[in-house]
Amino acid sequence: MLNFIPISLEHRQLIHQNMYTANGYGCEYSFANLFLWGDQRMALYDGTPVFLTRYGKWYSYLLPQCTNRLAVLEVLREDAHERKIPFRIFGLKPTDQDALEAAFPGVFRFRSLRDSYDYVYDIVRLTELHGKKLQAKRNHCNHFEQTYPNYRVIPLTQETLPLCRRFTEHWYEEHLAMHPYVDMTEEQIAIGKAFDCFDRLHMEGIAIDTSDGIVAFSMGNRIREDTFGVNFEKALPEINGAYPIVNREFAKRIHARYPEIRFLNREDDMGIEGLRKAKESYYPDTLLEKLTAEER
């Protein structure tokens, strides 16, 4: 049985180096997401980091990123049997299904997980909002700029993070008052850890400041050579244009700082109808399909 231990900040460099090469894979292939969300554990096998995730009673292994993948999968399969848990692999691309079926014929059943699909956008398109499809977004931004002509875009730093913490606490108070049966505990824990470990996670972000105070913020981290992940974004829903303006301004900042970045991965919608509509309304350039494989 492999020795899985909790992921800590000390593992960042090792994990980041492994994940940074996971071209074409989703947001779960980033150290920040592994560190921030759920009960994620890591072990080393032949120098390769492997990961076991638990959400309640649901266990899964992340598809390993290494040259000896099939050998590592055999080890993970044995580990699952010893733990008496289902051997389940998460984070597959559709092409991985063919490879696994060829290597392990008839062993797995595969399932596409729509709620986990990532929304990936061309970063330039989000900075400019050109085209008829994004006319409504431009209109909302224009309305915001007319309402708050002196708004400021401020970078998130150790000096400004406390303002965002207070804003986030207020946001959750209002949201949970309107939706008392929605459980946002895991997200609140994750965003709290992101604030606590902002610099060590190599996070970057902005806040939109107005005469009424902060009305929106966004933060994320670079997950590939050409892709930046947006981990969290919050805005006051009653402020017309707050979400579109922070989306646009964050894209502008990342594009200006890292011209080589081509894509923003705005992660999945978790099956939340309102969040799905919001992300679909920006017309993703790629809706990144993910699958899970489970031993029959």
Side-chain angles (χ1 to χ4, degrees):
M1 188 180 297
L2 294 171
N3 180 31
F4 281 96
I5 59 175
I7 293 173
S8 73
L9 289 169
E10 285 65 36
H11 298 130
R12 182 189 179 277
Q13 188 61 25
L14 172 66
I15 294 175
H16 179 69
Q17 288 178 341
N18 179 259
M19 297 298 189
Y20 205 64
T21 62
N23 295 323
Y25 285 89
C27 62
E28 60 278 0
Y29 285 90
S30 78
F31 175 78
N33 271 338
L34 288 169
F35 177 77
L36 293 172
W37 289 93
D39 179 7
Q40 311 266 11
R41 295 175 180 261
M42 180 195 79
L44 284 176
Y45 175 74
D46 197 23
T48 297
V50 291
F51 304 94
L52 177 61
T53 297
R54 180 167 68 94
Y55 284 100
K57 296 182 179 179
W58 196 87
Y59 288 87
S60 69
Y61 297 88
L62 194 62
L63 183 69
Q65 295 298 308
C66 55
T67 56
N68 57 336
R69 176 179 287 172
L70 296 182
V72 176
L73 285 173
E74 286 284 13
V75 172
L76 295 180
R77 185 182 186 187
E78 182 179 348
D79 184 80
H81 293 170
E82 291 177 352
R83 294 178 189 276
K84 301 188 186 306
I85 61 174
F87 180 42
R88 186 183 294 119
I89 311 166
F90 177 68
L92 281 70
K93 297 186 296 185
T95 52
D96 294 321
Q97 177 175 345
D98 297 335
L100 282 183
E101 184 60 33
F104 302 94
V107 169
F108 295 106
R109 54 176 175 269
F110 299 89
R111 184 162 60 96
S112 183
L113 303 175
R114 175 61 182 85
D115 294 352
S116 295
Y117 287 16
D118 283 356
Y119 294 77
V120 182
Y121 307 85
D122 180 279
I123 191 169
V124 174
R125 195 165 60 82
L126 291 189
T127 66
E128 298 175 348
L129 298 177
H130 286 168
K132 186 176 180 179
K133 287 182 177 180
L134 297 177
Q135 177 67 53
K137 303 301 181 186
R138 294 199 301 276
N139 291 344
H140 285 302
C141 288
N142 291 337
H143 184 277
F144 183 91
E145 291 172 326
Q146 292 167 7
T147 306
Y148 300 98
N150 298 317
Y151 81 92
R152 296 185 305 144
V153 179
I154 58 176
L156 296 190
T157 65
Q158 289 303 316
E159 289 70 36
T160 56
L161 280 174
L163 299 174
C164 280
R165 279 185 183 271
R166 290 195 290 272
F167 169 82
T168 304
E169 291 168 1
H170 172 68
W171 189 94
Y172 280 115
E173 287 174 3
E174 286 198 340
H175 190 83
L176 293 173
M178 295 174 60
H179 308 280
Y181 300 108
V182 175
D183 185 1
M184 305 194 76
T185 304
E186 285 191 356
E187 182 183 278
Q188 288 176 279
I189 292 172
I191 202 168
K193 290 170 71 175
F195 283 133
D196 290 340
C197 307
F198 190 82
D199 288 338
R200 296 186 69 184
L201 287 172
H202 295 246
M203 303 288 279
E204 299 187 43
I206 62 165
I208 304 297
D209 191 32
T210 71
S211 56
D212 296 328
I214 289 178
V215 298
F217 84 94
S218 183
M219 65 176 170
N221 73 111
R222 189 171 186 165
I223 60 176
R224 306 284 180 271
E225 184 64 26
D226 64 354
T227 305
F228 200 94
V230 182
N231 298 106
F232 302 102
E233 182 180 276
K234 300 294 180 190
L236 296 180
E238 66 270 21
I239 302 295
N240 189 344
Y243 271 111
I245 203 78
V246 74
N247 188 327
R248 187 192 73 183
E249 294 298 331
F250 191 50
K252 282 184 175 182
R253 177 174 176 82
I254 298 304
H255 183 53
R257 287 173 60 81
Y258 309 105
E260 67 275 20
I261 293 289
R262 297 178 56 204
F263 305 106
L264 284 183
N265 183 327
R266 294 180 54 80
E267 302 193 345
D268 57 44
D269 58 39
M270 300 180 287
I272 300 172
E273 182 179 358
L275 190 56
R276 178 168 298 183
K277 288 182 179 179
K279 295 191 175 187
E280 287 178 341
S281 70
Y282 279 93
Y283 299 95
D285 293 275
T286 301
L287 188 57
L288 185 59
E289 184 179 2
K290 301 177 194 176
L291 301 92
T292 185
E294 185 169 343
E295 191 172 18
R296 296 178 185 274

